[in-house]
Amino acid sequence: MFFVDTIEVSGLGNRSYLAGGGRTAVAVDPPRDIDRVIAAAARRGVRISHVVETHLHNDYVTGGLELARVTGAAYLVPAGARVSFERTPVDDGDRTVVDAADGLTLRAVATPGHTPHHTSYVLEEGGAAVSVFTGGSLLMGTVGRPDLVEPRLTGRLARAQHASVHRLAAELPDDTAVLPTHGFGSFCSSSPAHGQATTIGKERASNEALTRDVDTFVADLLAALDDIPAYYAYMGPANAAGPAPVDLTPPAVADADEIAARLAAGEWVVDLRNRVAFAAGHVSGSFNFEAEGQLATYLAWLIPWGRPVTLLAESPEQLAAAQRELVRVGIDRPAAAATGDPRSWVRRDEPLATFPRATFADLAGQYPAHGVVVLDVRRTSERAGGFIEGSVHLPVHTLHRRLGEIPQGRVWVHCAGGMRAAVAASLLAAAGRDVVAVDDAFGAAEDAGLTVLTG
């Protein structure tokens, strides 16, 4: 008998896996906070004998090297990946015994496309394929994007991705479970993934990489590629160098004077509370990145890399969860932190800053009019599906560098649902702009009477 446990890394849209038999197991693409993987093995009562990577990840810092060190496991990394540490290089066709007593082995299958060295691993029981860990190759209803390594390789990797997916479909039985790392909201996915479980047979029937010829597939794939988070540029090198162990102990406590001093020094002070609470009262100059949203993705995308960050949280638990999210993308130690009542974060007699929230119906009652600016902070791909006539478009991940491009007036900022609008509103408010955060679903804009154009 074998088992496969899924370890969700939902903030980044990824999954890691622990698979094995009665005695030993393999960890696949582990997150940086390895205690979750160790706990999963402890619940199963198994020893982690192997840790494997499908590729050098571009969207998070791996915990593979540290997990192998702590557990004494063999660390398997595709042979083509250039790394600066000792590991067991894996080539196409290599087999690794995971649990001999239960007849479990891993077979490496070269699946280039997401990266040149990408490798999938087929879990075999008694020589029969039961699952395949596909990393960033075959995803649920889509494939991994091929443009994260080097622009000059993108076209070639897109074709390789098509060939790799076809190889998996040709070599594996229809009932083989497909277990990808990316595709649950990750920007490593070339398009939105669908569903929570799939098999080779299901993908053969519906995945465009398996139902379209290579030229059509590549053309459509390249045309649909979205923005790349800026922090991706630092993840690959960090993984190649060998990530350091993480420290999740609480940061130093900052009082109101220190928070003010850090703001004056140009450091980032990030308020993790929900956007409703932030709008109602916050430290002037602080930025709002909700702990419950895609904190790691958007904070790492926007912050100048290496800039010290101080975290403000409503509770120690919220702070600890945020630290865990951030180490996964290389923001290892907050410079300081504070928790509790936001009134304790400002100096005596210093008021909390506020800004209004609104709906699209509220906006429709004010727009168009002189001095009213509508700012759309969605990505370009989202805006192509419809936008408010006359609105200014600056994707949220570019906003901090382009504040000077926003016309004068009261800025009503919106996104698709409210979370990114709150981030943008906090950036604008910190810059001294008069801002209203539209906390509403974009689908309500046209119903509210606003003119929505497409194209």
mmCIF file of all heavy atoms in Angstrom, residues 23-54:
data_model
loop_
_atom_site.group_PDB
_atom_site.id
_atom_site.type_symbol
_atom_site.label_atom_id
_atom_site.label_comp_id
_atom_site.label_asym_id
_atom_site.label_seq_id
_atom_site.Cartn_x
_atom_site.Cartn_y
_atom_site.Cartn_z
ATOM 1 N N ARG A 23 7.023 2.502 5.839
ATOM 2 C CA ARG A 23 8.228 2.827 6.607
ATOM 3 C C ARG A 23 8.909 4.118 6.152
ATOM 4 O O ARG A 23 9.376 4.883 6.985
ATOM 5 C CB ARG A 23 9.228 1.673 6.518
ATOM 6 C CG ARG A 23 8.701 0.347 7.081
ATOM 7 C CD ARG A 23 9.715 -0.766 6.898
ATOM 8 N NE ARG A 23 9.201 -2.040 7.382
ATOM 9 C CZ ARG A 23 9.858 -3.190 7.298
ATOM 10 N NH1 ARG A 23 11.066 -3.226 6.746
ATOM 11 N NH2 ARG A 23 9.305 -4.310 7.759
ATOM 12 N N THR A 24 8.994 4.316 4.853
ATOM 13 C CA THR A 24 9.751 5.457 4.351
ATOM 14 C C THR A 24 8.931 6.228 3.324
ATOM 15 O O THR A 24 7.948 5.721 2.767
ATOM 16 C CB THR A 24 11.078 5.000 3.710
ATOM 17 O OG1 THR A 24 10.806 3.956 2.766
ATOM 18 C CG2 THR A 24 12.044 4.499 4.765
ATOM 19 N N ALA A 25 9.377 7.465 3.067
ATOM 20 C CA ALA A 25 8.621 8.337 2.175
ATOM 21 C C ALA A 25 9.548 9.305 1.474
ATOM 22 O O ALA A 25 10.704 9.521 1.871
ATOM 23 C CB ALA A 25 7.563 9.107 2.959
ATOM 24 N N VAL A 26 9.007 9.926 0.419
ATOM 25 C CA VAL A 26 9.718 10.949 -0.343
ATOM 26 C C VAL A 26 8.931 12.243 -0.265
ATOM 27 O O VAL A 26 7.703 12.237 -0.327
ATOM 28 C CB VAL A 26 9.908 10.521 -1.815
ATOM 29 C CG1 VAL A 26 8.574 10.219 -2.497
ATOM 30 C CG2 VAL A 26 10.669 11.590 -2.601
ATOM 31 N N ALA A 27 9.637 13.355 -0.095
ATOM 32 C CA ALA A 27 9.024 14.680 -0.122
ATOM 33 C C ALA A 27 9.310 15.305 -1.484
ATOM 34 O O ALA A 27 10.456 15.294 -1.957
ATOM 35 C CB ALA A 27 9.586 15.559 0.989
ATOM 36 N N VAL A 28 8.264 15.835 -2.113
ATOM 37 C CA VAL A 28 8.379 16.400 -3.458
ATOM 38 C C VAL A 28 8.161 17.908 -3.405
ATOM 39 O O VAL A 28 7.144 18.371 -2.898
ATOM 40 C CB VAL A 28 7.349 15.760 -4.408
ATOM 41 C CG1 VAL A 28 7.504 16.320 -5.822
ATOM 42 C CG2 VAL A 28 7.481 14.243 -4.416
ATOM 43 N N ASP A 29 9.131 18.668 -3.914
ATOM 44 C CA ASP A 29 9.048 20.134 -4.002
ATOM 45 C C ASP A 29 8.605 20.758 -2.681
ATOM 46 O O ASP A 29 7.601 21.479 -2.612
ATOM 47 C CB ASP A 29 8.090 20.545 -5.132
ATOM 48 C CG ASP A 29 8.647 20.250 -6.515
ATOM 49 O OD1 ASP A 29 9.851 20.013 -6.637
ATOM 50 O OD2 ASP A 29 7.861 20.263 -7.478
ATOM 51 N N PRO A 30 9.344 20.520 -1.597
ATOM 52 C CA PRO A 30 8.899 21.007 -0.281
ATOM 53 C C PRO A 30 9.007 22.526 -0.145
ATOM 54 O O PRO A 30 9.904 23.150 -0.709
ATOM 55 C CB PRO A 30 9.851 20.310 0.692
ATOM 56 C CG PRO A 30 11.088 20.054 -0.121
ATOM 57 C CD PRO A 30 10.603 19.760 -1.502
ATOM 58 N N PRO A 31 8.100 23.131 0.620
ATOM 59 C CA PRO A 31 8.185 24.565 0.886
ATOM 60 C C PRO A 31 9.327 24.864 1.851
ATOM 61 O O PRO A 31 9.905 23.949 2.461
ATOM 62 C CB PRO A 31 6.830 24.878 1.517
ATOM 63 C CG PRO A 31 6.446 23.603 2.195
ATOM 64 C CD PRO A 31 6.966 22.504 1.300
ATOM 65 N N ARG A 32 9.634 26.130 2.016
ATOM 66 C CA ARG A 32 10.774 26.500 2.850
ATOM 67 C C ARG A 32 10.524 26.205 4.324
ATOM 68 O O ARG A 32 11.461 25.910 5.072
ATOM 69 C CB ARG A 32 11.071 27.987 2.665
ATOM 70 C CG ARG A 32 12.367 28.435 3.356
ATOM 71 C CD ARG A 32 13.178 29.290 2.476
ATOM 72 N NE ARG A 32 14.435 29.660 3.071
ATOM 73 C CZ ARG A 32 14.784 30.922 3.322
ATOM 74 N NH1 ARG A 32 13.961 31.901 3.035
ATOM 75 N NH2 ARG A 32 15.968 31.198 3.837
ATOM 76 N N ASP A 33 9.284 26.318 4.768
ATOM 77 C CA ASP A 33 8.967 26.007 6.163
ATOM 78 C C ASP A 33 8.772 24.494 6.282
ATOM 79 O O ASP A 33 7.671 23.974 6.219
ATOM 80 C CB ASP A 33 7.760 26.791 6.649
ATOM 81 C CG ASP A 33 6.578 26.782 5.678
ATOM 82 O OD1 ASP A 33 6.806 26.711 4.465
ATOM 83 O OD2 ASP A 33 5.429 26.848 6.150
ATOM 84 N N ILE A 34 9.890 23.809 6.474
ATOM 85 C CA ILE A 34 9.914 22.346 6.388
ATOM 86 C C ILE A 34 9.248 21.662 7.566
ATOM 87 O O ILE A 34 8.999 20.454 7.514
ATOM 88 C CB ILE A 34 11.356 21.829 6.256
ATOM 89 C CG1 ILE A 34 12.177 22.223 7.486
ATOM 90 C CG2 ILE A 34 11.988 22.357 4.973
ATOM 91 C CD1 ILE A 34 13.562 21.587 7.515
ATOM 92 N N ASP A 35 8.942 22.395 8.629
ATOM 93 C CA ASP A 35 8.307 21.757 9.781
ATOM 94 C C ASP A 35 6.963 21.134 9.410
ATOM 95 O O ASP A 35 6.546 20.140 10.006
ATOM 96 C CB ASP A 35 8.142 22.757 10.925
ATOM 97 C CG ASP A 35 7.351 23.999 10.536
ATOM 98 O OD1 ASP A 35 7.493 24.478 9.402
ATOM 99 O OD2 ASP A 35 6.597 24.507 11.392
ATOM 100 N N ARG A 36 6.295 21.693 8.407
ATOM 101 C CA ARG A 36 5.015 21.129 7.970
ATOM 102 C C ARG A 36 5.211 19.753 7.344
ATOM 103 O O ARG A 36 4.396 18.845 7.538
ATOM 104 C CB ARG A 36 4.348 22.063 6.964
ATOM 105 C CG ARG A 36 4.030 23.441 7.513
ATOM 106 C CD ARG A 36 3.353 24.284 6.469
ATOM 107 N NE ARG A 36 2.051 23.744 6.124
ATOM 108 C CZ ARG A 36 1.460 23.914 4.946
ATOM 109 N NH1 ARG A 36 2.069 24.578 3.982
ATOM 110 N NH2 ARG A 36 0.275 23.409 4.712
ATOM 111 N N VAL A 37 6.292 19.585 6.597
ATOM 112 C CA VAL A 37 6.569 18.294 5.964
ATOM 113 C C VAL A 37 6.987 17.275 7.015
ATOM 114 O O VAL A 37 6.551 16.110 6.993
ATOM 115 C CB VAL A 37 7.663 18.446 4.890
ATOM 116 C CG1 VAL A 37 7.865 17.133 4.139
ATOM 117 C CG2 VAL A 37 7.324 19.571 3.917
ATOM 118 N N ILE A 38 7.815 17.709 7.952
ATOM 119 C CA ILE A 38 8.259 16.818 9.024
ATOM 120 C C ILE A 38 7.070 16.364 9.861
ATOM 121 O O ILE A 38 6.968 15.186 10.258
ATOM 122 C CB ILE A 38 9.323 17.520 9.886
ATOM 123 C CG1 ILE A 38 10.600 17.741 9.057
ATOM 124 C CG2 ILE A 38 9.626 16.721 11.143
ATOM 125 C CD1 ILE A 38 11.646 18.604 9.736
ATOM 126 N N ALA A 39 6.142 17.282 10.119
ATOM 127 C CA ALA A 39 4.946 16.920 10.889
ATOM 128 C C ALA A 39 4.088 15.916 10.135
ATOM 129 O O ALA A 39 3.524 14.986 10.737
ATOM 130 C CB ALA A 39 4.140 18.174 11.210
ATOM 131 N N ALA A 40 3.990 16.081 8.822
ATOM 132 C CA ALA A 40 3.209 15.137 8.013
ATOM 133 C C ALA A 40 3.820 13.744 8.072
ATOM 134 O O ALA A 40 3.103 12.737 8.167
ATOM 135 C CB ALA A 40 3.122 15.625 6.568
ATOM 136 N N ALA A 41 5.150 13.671 8.030
ATOM 137 C CA ALA A 41 5.817 12.371 8.125
ATOM 138 C C ALA A 41 5.616 11.755 9.503
ATOM 139 O O ALA A 41 5.413 10.538 9.634
ATOM 140 C CB ALA A 41 7.303 12.536 7.827
ATOM 141 N N ALA A 42 5.639 12.590 10.534
ATOM 142 C CA ALA A 42 5.448 12.088 11.893
ATOM 143 C C ALA A 42 4.049 11.517 12.062
ATOM 144 O O ALA A 42 3.856 10.489 12.722
ATOM 145 C CB ALA A 42 5.701 13.209 12.893
ATOM 146 N N ARG A 43 3.061 12.176 11.467
ATOM 147 C CA ARG A 43 1.690 11.656 11.569
ATOM 148 C C ARG A 43 1.569 10.292 10.902
ATOM 149 O O ARG A 43 0.784 9.441 11.338
ATOM 150 C CB ARG A 43 0.711 12.651 10.936
ATOM 151 C CG ARG A 43 0.473 13.908 11.768
ATOM 152 C CD ARG A 43 -0.704 14.715 11.246
ATOM 153 N NE ARG A 43 -0.456 15.259 9.920
ATOM 154 C CZ ARG A 43 0.097 16.453 9.688
ATOM 155 N NH1 ARG A 43 0.470 17.220 10.713
ATOM 156 N NH2 ARG A 43 0.270 16.882 8.452
ATOM 157 N N ARG A 44 2.327 10.100 9.840
ATOM 158 C CA ARG A 44 2.297 8.813 9.139
ATOM 159 C C ARG A 44 3.201 7.771 9.794
ATOM 160 O O ARG A 44 3.131 6.581 9.475
ATOM 161 C CB ARG A 44 2.748 9.012 7.686
ATOM 162 C CG ARG A 44 1.726 9.691 6.794
ATOM 163 C CD ARG A 44 0.608 8.737 6.437
ATOM 164 N NE ARG A 44 -0.339 9.335 5.485
ATOM 165 C CZ ARG A 44 -1.382 8.700 4.981
ATOM 166 N NH1 ARG A 44 -1.603 7.439 5.331
ATOM 167 N NH2 ARG A 44 -2.205 9.293 4.137
ATOM 168 N N GLY A 45 4.106 8.228 10.660
ATOM 169 C CA GLY A 45 5.040 7.307 11.281
ATOM 170 C C GLY A 45 6.092 6.793 10.318
ATOM 171 O O GLY A 45 6.542 5.648 10.430
ATOM 172 N N VAL A 46 6.494 7.635 9.356
ATOM 173 C CA VAL A 46 7.477 7.216 8.353
ATOM 174 C C VAL A 46 8.717 8.110 8.421
ATOM 175 O O VAL A 46 8.667 9.231 8.932
ATOM 176 C CB VAL A 46 6.889 7.267 6.924
ATOM 177 C CG1 VAL A 46 5.749 6.272 6.781
ATOM 178 C CG2 VAL A 46 6.416 8.679 6.568
ATOM 179 N N ARG A 47 9.796 7.593 7.898
ATOM 180 C CA ARG A 47 11.042 8.350 7.770
ATOM 181 C C ARG A 47 11.143 8.914 6.361
ATOM 182 O O ARG A 47 10.850 8.214 5.393
ATOM 183 C CB ARG A 47 12.237 7.433 8.058
ATOM 184 C CG ARG A 47 13.606 8.108 7.879
ATOM 185 C CD ARG A 47 14.719 7.146 8.265
ATOM 186 N NE ARG A 47 14.740 5.963 7.409
ATOM 187 C CZ ARG A 47 15.412 5.892 6.249
ATOM 188 N NH1 ARG A 47 16.096 6.941 5.794
ATOM 189 N NH2 ARG A 47 15.382 4.766 5.549
ATOM 190 N N ILE A 48 11.534 10.170 6.254
ATOM 191 C CA ILE A 48 11.746 10.767 4.939
ATOM 192 C C ILE A 48 13.120 10.332 4.439
ATOM 193 O O ILE A 48 14.151 10.752 4.964
ATOM 194 C CB ILE A 48 11.651 12.304 5.000
ATOM 195 C CG1 ILE A 48 10.255 12.731 5.455
ATOM 196 C CG2 ILE A 48 11.975 12.924 3.634
ATOM 197 C CD1 ILE A 48 10.101 14.232 5.669
ATOM 198 N N SER A 49 13.116 9.440 3.456
ATOM 199 C CA SER A 49 14.377 8.893 2.945
ATOM 200 C C SER A 49 14.894 9.666 1.741
ATOM 201 O O SER A 49 16.097 9.624 1.442
ATOM 202 C CB SER A 49 14.187 7.422 2.554
ATOM 203 O OG SER A 49 13.162 7.300 1.564
ATOM 204 N N HIS A 50 13.974 10.376 1.042
ATOM 205 C CA HIS A 50 14.365 11.112 -0.148
ATOM 206 C C HIS A 50 13.602 12.441 -0.222
ATOM 207 O O HIS A 50 12.434 12.512 0.178
ATOM 208 C CB HIS A 50 14.075 10.308 -1.421
ATOM 209 C CG HIS A 50 14.867 9.047 -1.535
ATOM 210 N ND1 HIS A 50 14.487 7.879 -0.898
ATOM 211 C CD2 HIS A 50 16.021 8.758 -2.204
ATOM 212 C CE1 HIS A 50 15.372 6.934 -1.182
ATOM 213 N NE2 HIS A 50 16.308 7.437 -1.959
ATOM 214 N N VAL A 51 14.282 13.428 -0.712
ATOM 215 C CA VAL A 51 13.666 14.716 -1.041
ATOM 216 C C VAL A 51 13.977 14.967 -2.510
ATOM 217 O O VAL A 51 15.132 14.838 -2.936
ATOM 218 C CB VAL A 51 14.237 15.856 -0.181
ATOM 219 C CG1 VAL A 51 13.631 17.192 -0.585
ATOM 220 C CG2 VAL A 51 14.007 15.586 1.296
ATOM 221 N N VAL A 52 12.954 15.296 -3.306
ATOM 222 C CA VAL A 52 13.185 15.500 -4.736
ATOM 223 C C VAL A 52 12.634 16.850 -5.176
ATOM 224 O O VAL A 52 11.636 17.343 -4.648
ATOM 225 C CB VAL A 52 12.552 14.373 -5.599
ATOM 226 C CG1 VAL A 52 13.070 13.012 -5.166
ATOM 227 C CG2 VAL A 52 11.031 14.417 -5.535
ATOM 228 N N GLU A 53 13.324 17.440 -6.140
ATOM 229 C CA GLU A 53 12.878 18.674 -6.791
ATOM 230 C C GLU A 53 12.552 18.358 -8.247
ATOM 231 O O GLU A 53 13.322 17.656 -8.920
ATOM 232 C CB GLU A 53 13.965 19.749 -6.753
ATOM 233 C CG GLU A 53 14.489 20.093 -5.377
ATOM 234 C CD GLU A 53 13.581 21.007 -4.578
ATOM 235 O OE1 GLU A 53 12.452 21.291 -5.034
ATOM 236 O OE2 GLU A 53 14.003 21.442 -3.487
ATOM 237 N N THR A 54 11.437 18.886 -8.719
ATOM 238 C CA THR A 54 11.133 18.746 -10.143
ATOM 239 C C THR A 54 11.920 19.746 -10.977
ATOM 240 O O THR A 54 12.179 19.507 -12.149
ATOM 241 C CB THR A 54 9.630 18.949 -10.401
ATOM 242 O OG1 THR A 54 9.217 20.220 -9.881
ATOM 243 C CG2 THR A 54 8.814 17.844 -9.758
#
